[in-house]
Amino acid sequence: MHRRTGTLLRRATNYQIPSLKPPSSAAGRYLDVRERVQIADLLELGHSMRRVARELGRQPSTIKRELDRPLRRLWITTAPACWP
């Protein structure tokens, strides 16, 4: 995630750090924006992919696939420019 994107997302939440445990209804098939921000933050702190997966309650393969998707990274870096 681009640094500017993270800054914009944090400003939008008034710099409140979201909970690392996702709500039970968010454990669907796809990752939401909050989980993607957490992945970026935890990897920036030096956590392994397996530890990030454990923190989010996801499979390590889910985290790996998310990191391998260039289209997803492009969406994350451009989406906040469109947000109000």
Side-chain angles (χ1 to χ4, degrees):
M1 177 180 295
H2 194 273
R3 182 181 189 131
R4 179 179 48 189
T5 303
T7 301
L8 289 173
L9 290 171
R10 286 178 186 83
R11 283 183 187 160
T13 60
N14 200 20
Y15 294 96
Q16 297 296 314
I17 298 172
S19 169
L20 290 178
K21 299 294 180 187
S24 60
S25 63
R29 179 179 174 129
Y30 301 104
L31 296 173
D32 62 1
V33 174
R34 183 184 57 80
E35 288 177 308
R36 291 187 180 109
V37 170
Q38 287 178 342
I39 290 170
D41 288 345
L42 292 172
L43 289 174
E44 186 71 25
L45 290 172
H47 290 71
S48 68
M49 278 192 286
R50 287 187 177 277
R51 184 164 178 196
V52 170
R54 197 175 330 119
E55 293 285 335
L56 294 176
R58 298 285 189 158
Q59 293 293 320
S61 59
T62 303
I63 306 302
K64 174 73 171 133
R65 277 194 303 271
E66 185 66 26
L67 295 174
D68 286 344
R69 296 178 73 181
L71 182 61
R72 181 68 62 202
R73 277 186 253 136
L74 176 65
W75 181 85
I76 288 291
T77 58
T78 59
C82 305
W83 293 357

